[in-house]
Amino acid sequence: MSDNPEITADRPDSPIRLAGTDHITLIGSNEDDTIEFYRDLLGMPLVLRQPNLDDPESTHLFFDTGDGRILTFFVNDDRQSSEQPLRHQVGSVHHVSFSVEPERFVETKEALEEAGRGYNEFDRGIFHSLYTRDHNGLTIELATDKFDVPDERRGEVLATAQRLRVEDGADFAEERHLEAALEELGIESEKFELPDAPSGAGR
């Protein structure tokens, strides 16, 4: 493997061509707590509920994350929730990120506060994020775009911002790289007004 893998939005010459993310399944605790967090707080409709076909003793919950993409959980009412942070190891899930519309970013923070959910807020350079935890200690990122980037060109914009970042000698992609990428690609994009926040970049 090269020390510098190619960064590009072009499809690789691979034997399999995926069409997108169908769903991601996580091991949940119990049904009530899972529905309370993902449906009642984050606003994901519960669109399907049935036995886990591989383990009929547990229930399979399907949530629409907001764009038709599905997040599912295997739950069992014998399992208690625990908000202790999860320990990470190779192969584990570090965090799950969901999109928030920029105009609803501030009210999302207020809703977390009202629900007694702690969070951290960071300006990540090319996007803006809140980090909280669900009822089982899984880190949940609620990310919002700084610019109105068309979904079908998101990969192209990020790959261009990456090239500009490297040429600039910057440690990570910053807002100026994203803005320059949009200009280079001829994409007219509105910049959203978002609160000031620390970068959260590790040192």
Side-chain angles (χ1 to χ4, degrees):
M1 180 67 70
S2 168
D3 289 338
N4 295 297
E6 183 182 18
I7 305 297
T8 175
D10 296 334
R11 289 273 192 165
D13 182 18
S14 59
I16 297 174
R17 292 293 179 96
L18 300 180
T21 301
D22 186 283
H23 68 277
I24 295 172
T25 299
L26 301 174
I27 304 299
S29 53
N30 59 74
E31 184 170 0
D32 287 347
D33 291 349
T34 303
I35 290 174
E36 180 180 13
F37 184 84
Y38 287 93
R39 184 192 68 185
D40 299 341
L41 180 60
L42 296 190
M44 298 182 187
L46 178 63
V47 295
L48 183 64
R49 177 186 182 276
Q50 64 182 23
N52 175 357
L53 300 183
D54 297 318
D55 175 16
E57 298 302 312
S58 64
T59 300
H60 199 177
L61 303 177
F62 292 68
F63 296 89
D64 182 339
T65 62
D67 60 358
R69 302 302 195 278
I70 302 298
L71 180 71
T72 86
F73 290 87
F74 292 150
V75 297
N76 188 304
D77 286 341
D78 291 336
R79 295 200 287 254
Q80 297 300 309
S81 300
S82 172
E83 295 191 15
Q84 291 296 322
L86 298 178
R87 298 183 65 182
H88 297 300
Q89 59 187 24
V90 174
S92 68
V93 175
H94 185 275
H95 70 278
V96 180
S97 182
F98 303 108
S99 296
V100 174
E101 295 175 352
E103 58 270 22
R104 304 196 70 170
F105 191 77
V106 171
E107 69 182 64
T108 298
K109 291 200 300 181
E110 293 170 349
L112 289 173
E113 292 168 2
E114 190 173 322
R117 293 275 168 189
Y119 64 84
N120 292 311
E121 179 180 358
F122 294 120
D123 180 340
R124 294 301 199 183
I126 56 175
F127 53 91
H128 205 97
S129 292
L130 302 171
Y131 294 86
T132 189
R133 287 195 177 96
D134 77 355
H135 55 290
N136 289 316
L138 175 64
T139 298
I140 300 296
E141 178 182 10
L142 303 174
T144 197
D145 288 327
K146 290 187 169 187
F147 293 86
D148 183 16
V149 179
D151 287 341
E152 67 275 10
R153 301 197 69 182
R154 186 176 298 273
E156 184 183 6
V157 170
L158 291 177
T160 303
Q162 161 70 8
R163 176 178 55 77
L164 295 171
R165 175 194 76 79
V166 172
E167 291 173 357
D168 192 33
D171 290 336
F172 55 88
E174 301 175 24
E175 182 177 313
R176 58 196 169 97
H177 302 124
L178 183 64
E179 197 165 14
L182 290 165
E183 183 177 354
E184 180 178 312
L185 294 169
I187 299 174
E188 293 187 9
S189 180
E190 174 189 358
K191 181 180 177 182
F192 300 114
E193 290 295 327
L194 294 167
D196 291 331
S199 71
R203 296 288 184 233

